[in-house]
Amino acid sequence: MRYKAIVYLYRNGANLSKNRRYVIDFLFHFMRDIGVIGGVSFEKGIEYYSDVPQTALLDEKMKNSAVTVAKIVLNEEMNHNLSGISPKYSVLKMGPTWRAPNLISALYFSVFYLRPGTDVYRKCENPACNNRFVVKTTNSRKKYCCANCRNATAQRNHRKKVKANKI
């Protein structure tokens, strides 16, 4: 039934939005070339009506289209769940606050306000340490996870320098 609906929309959905048309075109070509999707679940993933889908036919263009479809779906999901969020003024706090109608909207709102690229994880430059630590900006000069690693590396470098001067 899903395939029939996709074929119908592929043939008759010329008046749909650009993004919906792109998703329908992707699904039509995916089901026609790779395999007809029987169902999708978290546990089993994508289930096909045929036993063996033709995954060898997944070329670069199809993979790039899948990424574009994922971005379209994520965009629509975010915008839908953010639509219930509204600003309010709190007299008690004497400042702005936000009203979220439910927990899922609040979670999407927190994702919405994440600032990508501001927190970076780096590996500690102490050779004896395998820890990673958060650096608040990308141009930070911080190289070590803690003062102990910084001191241990400085001592190691000093010993190497003294040993090289003795030779």
Side-chain angles (χ1 to χ4, degrees):
M1 292 302 287
R2 286 185 194 99
Y3 185 65
K4 283 176 100 174
I6 294 295
V7 170
Y8 176 82
L9 289 171
Y10 181 76
R11 295 178 120 190
N12 302 318
N15 58 345
L16 296 174
S17 71
K18 180 183 171 187
N19 285 344
R20 292 191 190 275
R21 186 71 207 167
Y22 193 92
V23 172
I24 291 167
D25 287 351
F26 171 78
L27 288 172
F28 172 78
H29 287 88
F30 184 89
M31 287 192 196
R32 187 189 68 189
D33 298 339
I34 309 302
V36 177
I37 298 172
V40 178
S41 68
F42 184 72
E43 295 83 21
K44 297 178 184 177
I46 300 174
E47 297 178 53
Y48 297 91
Y49 281 114
S50 63
D51 292 336
V52 182
Q54 303 296 319
T55 54
L57 298 175
L58 273 172
D59 59 353
E60 240 4 82
K61 184 177 179 184
M62 184 71 82
K63 290 176 186 177
N64 291 336
S65 294
V67 170
T68 303
V69 167
K71 288 178 181 178
I72 291 169
V73 171
L74 180 62
N75 184 47
E76 288 184 7
E77 182 74 13
M78 287 290 293
N79 288 334
H80 172 73
N81 284 297
L82 289 172
S83 64
I85 304 280
S86 60
K88 292 178 71 177
Y89 187 80
S90 172
V91 178
L92 298 174
K93 293 180 182 179
M94 293 304 285
T97 185
W98 294 92
R99 187 190 70 74
N102 52 37
L103 179 61
I104 194 75
S105 293
L107 291 171
Y108 276 97
F109 188 67
S110 67
V111 170
F112 177 76
Y113 268 107
L114 283 177
R115 293 185 315 172
T118 57
D119 290 349
V120 176
Y121 286 90
R122 287 195 181 153
K123 186 178 183 311
C124 182
E125 289 195 13
N126 181 0
C129 181
N130 289 323
N131 290 339
R132 295 196 177 270
F133 60 97
V134 177
V135 180
K136 291 296 179 189
T137 58
T138 56
N139 63 355
S140 175
R141 295 181 182 189
K142 190 172 179 182
K143 297 179 182 180
Y144 305 100
C145 64
C146 63
N148 291 338
C149 283
R150 185 180 62 240
N151 291 337
T153 303
Q155 289 174 1
R156 187 178 298 108
N157 292 340
H158 179 70
R159 283 189 213 112
K160 284 181 186 178
K161 185 179 171 182
V162 168
K163 190 175 181 179
N165 287 340
K166 284 183 181 181
I167 298 176

